Structures are given as structure tokens and as C-alpha cells.
Amino acid sequence: MAPTDVRSLVIPKSSMSSGQVSWRSPSNIALVKYWGKFGNQYPRNPSVSFTLSAAYTETTIQYKPREDYKKKLSISFQFDGRSMPTFEQRIEQYLIGLISQFNFLEQFDLDIQTRNSFPHSSGIASSASGMSALALCLCSIEDHFFQTLQEDQAFRTKASMTARLGSGSACRSIYAHAALWGETGAVDGASNEYAVSLESMLHPSFVAYQDAILLVSREEKSVSSSAGHGLMDHHPFASVRYEQANRNLQSALECLQHGDLERFVLLCEQEAMQLHALMMSSSPYYLLIKPNTLAIIQAVQSYRNETGIPICFTLDAGPNVHLLYPKENKDAVENFINDKLVNYCHQGAWIKDEMGLGPLQSL
Ligand code: PMV
């Protein structure tokens, strides 16, 4: 049965056509972490991240008018040219949840092709880049048929909100350089619904900030981030954490604005440690860092003390280590990584990344 609903984003039969859209969207690394959520993917505390560059997902959606309405949606999904039933199910559920905002999804056969710039088994979470790339494609299709997202800000806001519904952290990947997500009086326009750009307040010291991602383990995570967020609901330290995250956010914004690298280093490391301390003190508790994660952390602290280079580490919900440092220290730090840290990485693997310019639409 063809859809009879006359909601605003239903394409009239006479305007239906086939086409294709592609977006490349980067990953991001949180400085102040989002950990704990409520309602429809709203964060318990505001978070701030740097947008990356080398770690990205490229997604293409080919759409053509649908002939068969047996299922709610008609999608096919391939990752790196191969079917992936678990991913496909997750994407299908996500898209079904979005029909009320993108009514036209029901009107097409959607063929979704996606690939990551980093290996699937690298231990790098692909949900931020993957969900943001997909959300951007949906917004482009909407704009193609309805011209509702012609202004850059309207486009990005809807893309960010849509990405958030797929994976909270994905909403921050929509913006160049740095982004903030979550309600806070500290930034105008900040919202739980979508992220906002921090580009205009970034001190020049942070431009092209480097991120070396040290791949300590390539194993799949033992706990999904959804389950991890869930454990914050009854966490004994939850309210203290949320208060502290708000204070750290204020502090992070001051550092980013004034180029206070010394304070930035302490803050990033404290946030990373607190994220993992929350995991280690939840019920059930879990431990995601590995002995080599700690070996790297200690080597980085010694290197910073010896050289005075303002390098710091941060962690995602996993064992891999992100090293953040100014571009002017790139050569020295890369030598340090190659001399001292690669031994702690799985098969010596690490990824050179840096703050990036945000998503790119491919034609
Ligand atoms: O977006 P999710 O649900 O995968 O959660 C991400 C959580 C952290 O990466 C640990 C922190 C963050 O703010 O990105």
C-alpha cells in the first residue's frame, strides 16, 4: 500500500525522482565527556570535542522511487562493499525512528553504502562519524526535494539533531574544529537537542591541534556505550560527576578561548580518568583500559615533565589513547611515539590525526 499520509515532507508523486547523495564525516574526540543520558538521547551533562580529520566515514545513499510497500522501509546496506546484518538492523531501526522527521524515507528504495578510513577492527568507535555521515545524507535529500535546509545553520542544526538520535557523540561531528553539545548557560544557543560550533571562540594555539591515536587493542569493546550510559542511571557518584562535568566544561571553554595549554592538559587528563573511574565504580563494574594504556599514560607524563611540551592524553570508552598536542610540537612528539610508544601499540599501529574542517559533501 502506498503511503497516504499528507505530512509536510511527503514528496508528491509528480516530483519523485531517483538520485544519490554522499557525505564524508569525521570522528571527534571529547575533551569533556558525555557519559550518562536520559529521555530521547539527551545528555546528562554538556560535552566539548575536537573534530578530527583523518578518521572519517564516507556514506552514499542511492534513492529510487519505491515499488514494493511490504515492509515499513526498503533499505539495503553495505559496509566496505559487504553485507553486515547487525549494522543493517541498527540502521533500519534508526531510520524507522526518523520517519516522522523525514517522511519521504518511506517513499524510496534506499541503498546505503558506507566505508571508514580506519580499519573496522582498529578499536576506533565509528558511531560518531558513521551516524553523522548518514544524518547529513538525509538532510541533503530533504533539501533536494523541499529546499527546507538552504541556510547553512538550519542544515547543520537538523543534521546534528538527527545524528544525535543515532549516537549522542555524533551530533558534535557536524562542525569544523570544535563543538559543544548540551544545555549550559556558558554558550549562547547551547542545547540538548543538537551541538553548536565553538570555532569562533577557539584561540589560535588550538588551530590544527594534533591527535595521535595509539591503538592499544583492536578487540571489540566488552561493553557497548549504550550499556555504559545506562549504568550511570544508578551510579553512586552520578550527581557529583554531573556537577564536576559542568565545572570542567566552564574551565575547558576558558582554556580554549584563552589558549591556556597548561590548564587544558590537566583538565583533559582528569576528564579521561574520571570517565574510566566511573566505569570501574559502576555496578556491575568494568575495566576497559589495558596495562599498555597505563604504560603509555606514564610515559607521556614523564615526557611532558622532561621536555615541557604541553602534550596530554585522553581516552574514549576503550583502551586506545589519544595524544593531544600543538602542531608546533608535531615532529618531536612523533619521534617520541616512534621511539617509545609504538611498543605498547597493537602491532605498532597508531593513526596521525588532527583537528579538521568538518564534514564534506562529495558530488
Ligand atoms: O555517542 P556514544 O553513545 O557512543 O557515547 C560516547 C561516549 C564517549 O565517547 C565516552 C564520550 C563522548 O563524549 O564522546
Side-chain angles (χ1 to χ4, degrees):
M1 198 181 68
T4 49
D5 203 336
V6 272
R7 287 168 294 185
S8 56
L9 295 183
V10 174
I11 305 168
K13 222 173 176 171
S14 54
S15 312
M16 283 292 277
S17 60
S18 304
Q20 131 170 2
V21 283
S22 298
W23 276 91
R24 167 187 287 198
S25 189
S27 187
N28 68 75
I29 178 69
L31 312 169
V32 176
K33 313 287 180 181
Y34 147 59
W35 201 239
K37 61 180 171 182
F38 68 98
N40 199 5
Q41 293 264 101
Y42 295 123
R44 289 279 182 197
N45 65 266
S47 57
V48 170
S49 58
F50 283 164
T51 301
L52 299 181
S53 171
Y56 61 80
T57 298
E58 226 160 30
T59 295
T60 296
I61 302 186
Q62 286 185 314
Y63 51 90
K64 62 175 198 312
R66 191 172 169 185
E67 283 159 14
D68 167 0
Y69 282 86
K70 278 190 209 120
K71 283 176 73 187
K72 187 109 186 113
L73 280 187
S74 165
I75 73 161
S76 61
F77 172 86
Q78 287 196 319
F79 178 81
D80 264 343
R82 285 198 307 269
S83 300
M84 286 251 184
T86 23
F87 273 20
E88 178 164 331
Q89 267 169 19
R90 181 169 172 200
I91 300 293
E92 188 171 5
Q93 283 315 308
Y94 169 59
L95 295 179
I96 288 174
L98 291 178
I99 292 174
S100 58
Q101 289 141 70
F102 298 95
N103 313 130
F104 55 82
L105 285 175
E106 287 177 304
Q107 298 178 274
F108 290 113
D109 287 324
L110 301 167
D111 176 44
I112 305 170
Q113 300 282 339
T114 188
R115 72 167 198 97
N116 293 338
S117 62
F118 45 91
H120 175 53
S121 56
S122 62
I124 299 188
S126 60
S127 58
S129 54
M131 288 301 179
S132 54
L134 189 54
L136 287 156
C137 287
L138 299 182
C139 290
S140 286
I141 302 176
E142 171 179 329
D143 194 49
H144 173 73
F145 285 102
F146 299 95
Q147 295 79 50
T148 36
L149 301 171
Q150 300 271 297
E151 282 179 14
D152 187 61
Q153 195 177 341
F155 186 91
R156 283 180 197 269
T157 301
K158 183 152 186 184
S160 179
M161 192 153 69
T162 307
R164 180 199 101 230
L165 295 168
S167 167
S169 58
C171 72
R172 299 184 308 237
S173 280
I174 302 295
Y175 300 95
H177 307 301
L180 173 142
W181 169 41
E183 267 166 25
T184 164
V187 169
D188 282 348
S191 168
N192 280 349
E193 300 279 349
Y194 46 80
V196 293
S197 170
L198 290 181
E199 191 178 348
S200 63
M201 55 100 75
L202 213 56
H203 189 273
S205 313
F206 287 103
V207 172
Y209 221 66
Q210 302 290 296
D211 179 4
I213 310 171
L214 307 185
L215 305 176
V216 170
S217 165
R218 295 180 162 208
E219 284 167 24
E220 290 275 324
K221 276 194 292 184
S222 54
V223 184
S224 72
S225 64
S226 265
H229 288 291
L231 289 173
M232 285 304 288
D233 287 349
H234 303 288
H235 199 291
F237 306 144
S239 59
V240 180
R241 160 63 191 161
Y242 302 139
E243 272 168 39
Q244 190 163 29
N246 274 285
R247 276 199 299 276
N248 283 350
L249 180 103
Q250 184 62 47
S251 216
L253 292 174
E254 285 164 19
C255 293
L256 294 178
Q257 197 165 12
H258 303 303
D260 187 343
L261 294 183
E262 212 173 305
R263 202 163 139 214
F264 176 82
V265 159
L266 293 177
L267 183 77
C268 282
E269 296 191 346
Q270 191 200 9
E271 270 290 313
M273 289 308 213
Q274 199 166 97
L275 172 70
H276 284 262
L278 289 167
M279 297 172 191
M280 289 184 223
S281 52
S282 64
S283 174
Y285 74 86
Y286 57 105
L287 182 65
L288 296 184
I289 49 176
K290 304 273 184 202
N292 280 351
T293 311
L294 293 177
I296 291 172
I297 288 175
Q298 283 173 330
V300 167
Q301 287 169 334
S302 306
Y303 177 75
R304 180 168 68 228
N305 291 338
E306 281 157 23
T307 61
I309 291 177
I311 181 175
C312 64
F313 68 84
T314 187
L315 305 164
D316 262 337
N320 297 330
V321 184
H322 288 246
L323 296 183
L324 302 176
Y325 48 96
K327 187 162 187 143
E328 66 188 58
N329 301 120
K330 187 174 185 316
D331 292 344
V333 173
E334 287 181 4
N335 287 337
F336 163 59
I337 294 171
N338 286 323
D339 287 352
K340 298 275 165 31
L341 303 183
V342 285
N343 297 335
Y344 302 121
C345 298
H346 180 80
Q347 294 173 342
W350 65 283
I351 295 173
K352 283 183 205 180
D353 211 337
E354 61 180 357
M355 190 185 270
L357 301 177
L360 251 185
Q361 182 166 22
S362 352
L363 297 171

